[in-house]
């Protein structure tokens, strides 16, 4: 089987939420003294009431993302505050990221892709990590998947009579540097960079978050469940309602037409919740 064919099958499995496909030499091993963390149960669905601010204690990463090195070594905590500084802003977070060298993703990246959009938005879309176009431009979702995401946001809002476009929302990723060959981010990369994602979300304080694909869902909800199981329902990150839907790259593949209809339903649901 060609490498392309294998990559397509793996991408398909990944989008279905099947991520534990074992290689002969596993790259991530639980240490003998500490068993791998169990996935957290999804929290109960939120009520659409005004949100309260998360407490500082709630800022540690989900247990399922506890840091492990490629050979099973437990990594030292990265040099990051585990709590969001008081009065955090996107500018402070950018300054703290700096010319980040905290994980191996810095090695091949061209630009750090922090996020873009309206910092006063009521909704944040969270993807997985930059692809090739994003790495070149330093902006999230500007390639093919990004064009589809833009069309989805703009067209759904227009059809539903909600006066917003992509420029009114905020878009960012779990990891801010492009994983080589667009591979899925490793758990330790997600944990290190996830702290910046969490700070971004706390600084913006959106009314809802839309998680695009299984990596975003895993980072925010600490679950191993796949998108098919999670999508269309409300979950929570801290006190903020989270809607999970398919990643736009998945929708670009020809084999699943149903997913396009479902993602439209998901988007309608989250937009109406936020703007009505
Ligand atoms: N896919 C992502 O998850 N994020 C991007 O920014 C682009 C493609």
């Amino acid at each position: 089987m060609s490498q392309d064919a294998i990559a397509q099958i793996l991408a398909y499995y990944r989008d279905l939420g099947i991520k534990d496909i074992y290689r002969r030499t596993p790259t991530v091993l639980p240490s003998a003294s500490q068993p791998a963390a169990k996935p957290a149960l999804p929290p109960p669905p939120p009520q659409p009431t005004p949100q309260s601010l998360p407490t500082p204690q709630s800022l540690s990463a989900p247990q399922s993302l506890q840091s492990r090195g490629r050979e099973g070594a437990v990594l030292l905590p990265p040099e990051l505050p585990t709590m969001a500084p008081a009065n955090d802003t996107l500018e402070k977070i950018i300054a703290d990221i700096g010319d980040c060298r905290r994980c191996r993703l810095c090695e091949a990246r061209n630009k750090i892709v922090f996020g873009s959009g309206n910092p006063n938005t009521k909704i944040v879309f969270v993807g997985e990590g930059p692809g090739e176009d994003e790495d070149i431009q330093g902006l999230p979702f500007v390639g093919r998947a990004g064009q589809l995401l833009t069309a989805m946001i703009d067209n759904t809002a227009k059809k539903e009579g909600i006066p917003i476009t992509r420029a009114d929302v905020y878009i960012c990723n779990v990891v801010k540097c492009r994983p080589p060959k667009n591979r899925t981010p490793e758990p330790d990369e997600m944990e290190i960079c996830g702290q910046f994602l969490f700070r971004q979300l706390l600084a913006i304080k959106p009314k809802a978050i839309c998680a695009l694909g299984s990596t975003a869902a895993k980072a925010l909800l600490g679950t191993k469940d796949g998108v098919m199981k999670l999508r269309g329902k409300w979950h929570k990150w801290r006190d903020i309602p989270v809607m999970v839907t398919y990643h736009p790259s998945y929708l670009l593949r020809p084999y699943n037409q149903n997913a396009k209809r479902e993602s439209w339903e998901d988007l309608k649901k989250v937009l109406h919740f936020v703007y009505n």
Side-chain angles (χ1 to χ4, degrees), residues 14 113 126-135 139-146 149 166 171-175 182 212-213 215-216 247-249:
R14 201 186 96 194
V113 180
V126 180
E128 175 175 302
E132 189 177 9
D133 295 304
E134 291 78 17
D135 177 63
L139 292 168
F141 282 99
V142 289
R144 277 185 72 217
L149 179 64
R166 171 176 170 153
I171 303 180
C172 59
N173 287 299
V174 176
V175 295
N182 298 339
L212 303 166
T215 298
H247 192 285
S249 313

Side-chain angles (χ1 to χ4, degrees), residues 2 4 15 51 60 65 79 90 136 144 167 209 221 240:
S2 72
D4 269 4
D15 288 330
Q51 70 208 42
S60 55
L65 296 182
E79 287 167 37
L90 297 181
I136 292 167
R144 277 185 72 217
I209 299 166
L221 307 177
I240 306 178

